Structures are given as C-alpha cells and as structure tokens.
Amino acid sequence: MKQIFLALLAAWAIYNLWRVMRCAGNAIEVDAEAVTNVPVEAAFREYMKVREYYLDLSPGHRKYEIAGTSPTGDMIVDIWETAGFQSVRHRYRIAELVENRRMKLVSERSQVRVLGLFRGVTRSEAEFRFAPLDEAHARLAITIRIVFPNRLRHFLARLFLTEEIWRSHARQEMTALARIIEQRQATVTQRRLPSGPSIGSRPGAAG
C-alpha cells in the first residue's frame, strides 16, 4: 500500500511538473460562469454595489474595503479571502472598466498564506464579464489568473491543488452572485410597483 501511495504521489508530481514546463507563463487560470434572470444592464448595476454584499458571496470572504474615489484612478479595493487551506489579501486596482460589459481588477502583490504557515506573493487578476442572453437574462463570468514569481512556486501551487481550489471558489462565487443580483433586483422592482387598495377599502371612499 505504501509503495502504491508513493507511486501515485510521484506520478502526480511528474504530471504537474510537465504542466509547468509546457506553460508559457508561470500562471494558473480558472473560469466560471452563471446565468441570472436579470437584464444585463441591471446585473451590471447591481454588481457595482458588490461592497454591500461581498461577504455573502462565499463563506471564504472575509473583508472588502475601498479607499480612494476614482474607479480608474486612485481607488484601491482591499480584499481578504480564503479558499481551501489558502488565505489571500489582495489590493486591487481597476485596470479596465467597460459599462455593462466587463471590469478587470489587478493586484500586483497579493499576500498569500498556505496552511497558516507558508507565505508568498503573487500577482492576481480577476476579470468579471457581463453578456446579454436576451432582454431578461444575462450571463455572468469570471476569469481568475494567478501569476507566480518563478517555476518553483508555480509547481508547488499546482502540486497542492491551487487550480482546483480556486476554480471551486469561482464557481461558488458566480452562483451566489447570480442569485443575489436576482434578489436585489426583485426588491427594486417591488418598490416601484404602485400600492393597491388596502383590504376592506371601498373604491372612491374618502380618507
């Protein structure tokens, strides 16, 4: 049994080493998407208020704070999150913002801690995309790209399931985002509906 385990471990290491060597850059990239029953303009508008509900998107979300006033200027989005046995602090800048279509965040030096012991620094990119499916539905998508400083760090990240951990996290986040956007939009629509007569009131009755 021990020999089988060691053989499997060696095979896993060799497979991931092969993936690192054939990769053009020292990066891991994951994607996820979800469909929301909300028009794309409304979906984008609700996403831009994400600071109000960021902690509800995933149990691993710990903190979301914004400093600065200009989205494409001095604004910094300070995010703390965990996934699996990894915790990360990002300091994102908005690298690209296209209304109703996409927003790209870039953190040049994300602080990473693995198992609460090992520390490192990566470049983190998160691109959110919004696409209309029809007048009442939109597709939400995210691409997370983690860039490592060298091949050794890249290899260790793959060895310890970083790709799988963050893909699962991204899927969870997109599913929750679609649901929360629908809930918030339903609340907005409800507020706009005219109030009808109360129970027991008579048409034309004076107040």
Side-chain angles (χ1 to χ4, degrees), residues 30-158:
V30 299
D31 300 282
E33 63 179 41
V35 173
T36 186
N37 300 320
V38 172
V40 68
E41 295 83 3
F44 184 85
R45 184 170 59 248
E46 291 298 339
Y47 172 73
M48 294 304 290
K49 303 171 186 175
V50 66
R51 66 186 300 178
E52 299 176 9
Y53 56 85
Y54 175 79
L55 299 184
D56 297 325
L57 291 176
S58 169
H61 287 180
R62 298 289 183 260
K63 176 183 173 182
Y64 186 105
E65 291 183 357
I66 293 178
T69 56
S70 173
T72 55
D74 66 340
M75 183 176 288
I76 297 291
V77 183
D78 190 6
I79 289 178
W80 294 31
E81 60 182 341
T82 63
F85 45 79
Q86 303 178 15
S87 60
V88 188
R89 181 184 182 183
H90 309 285
R91 289 181 60 80
Y92 282 122
R93 289 188 180 275
I94 299 177
E96 185 179 15
L97 181 61
V98 180
E99 188 175 4
N100 298 330
R101 287 296 178 265
R102 64 183 175 275
M103 182 170 75
K104 183 176 182 179
L105 303 172
V106 176
S107 174
E108 294 290 348
R109 293 181 59 82
S110 293
Q111 306 294 321
V112 183
R113 181 174 291 185
V114 180
L115 296 172
L117 300 172
F118 308 104
R119 299 185 181 187
V121 176
T122 63
R123 172 187 167 95
S124 301
E125 303 172 6
E127 183 179 46
F128 294 86
R129 297 181 301 280
F130 303 78
L133 296 178
D134 53 38
E135 293 183 356
H137 302 83
R139 176 179 288 110
L140 316 176
I142 184 175
T143 297
I144 298 173
R145 190 166 189 265
I146 307 169
V147 184
F148 302 94
N150 53 56
R151 284 185 172 179
L152 176 60
R153 285 288 313 285
H154 185 189
F155 170 69
L156 291 174
R158 288 195 178 277

Side-chain angles (χ1 to χ4, degrees), residues 9 12 16 28 83-86 114-115 118 152-166:
L9 187 60
W12 176 246
N16 283 288
I28 287 175
F85 45 79
Q86 303 178 15
V114 180
L115 296 172
F118 308 104
L152 176 60
R153 285 288 313 285
H154 185 189
F155 170 69
L156 291 174
R158 288 195 178 277
L159 194 64
F160 289 101
L161 303 174
T162 294
E163 182 175 5
E164 290 74 14
I165 287 171
W166 287 103

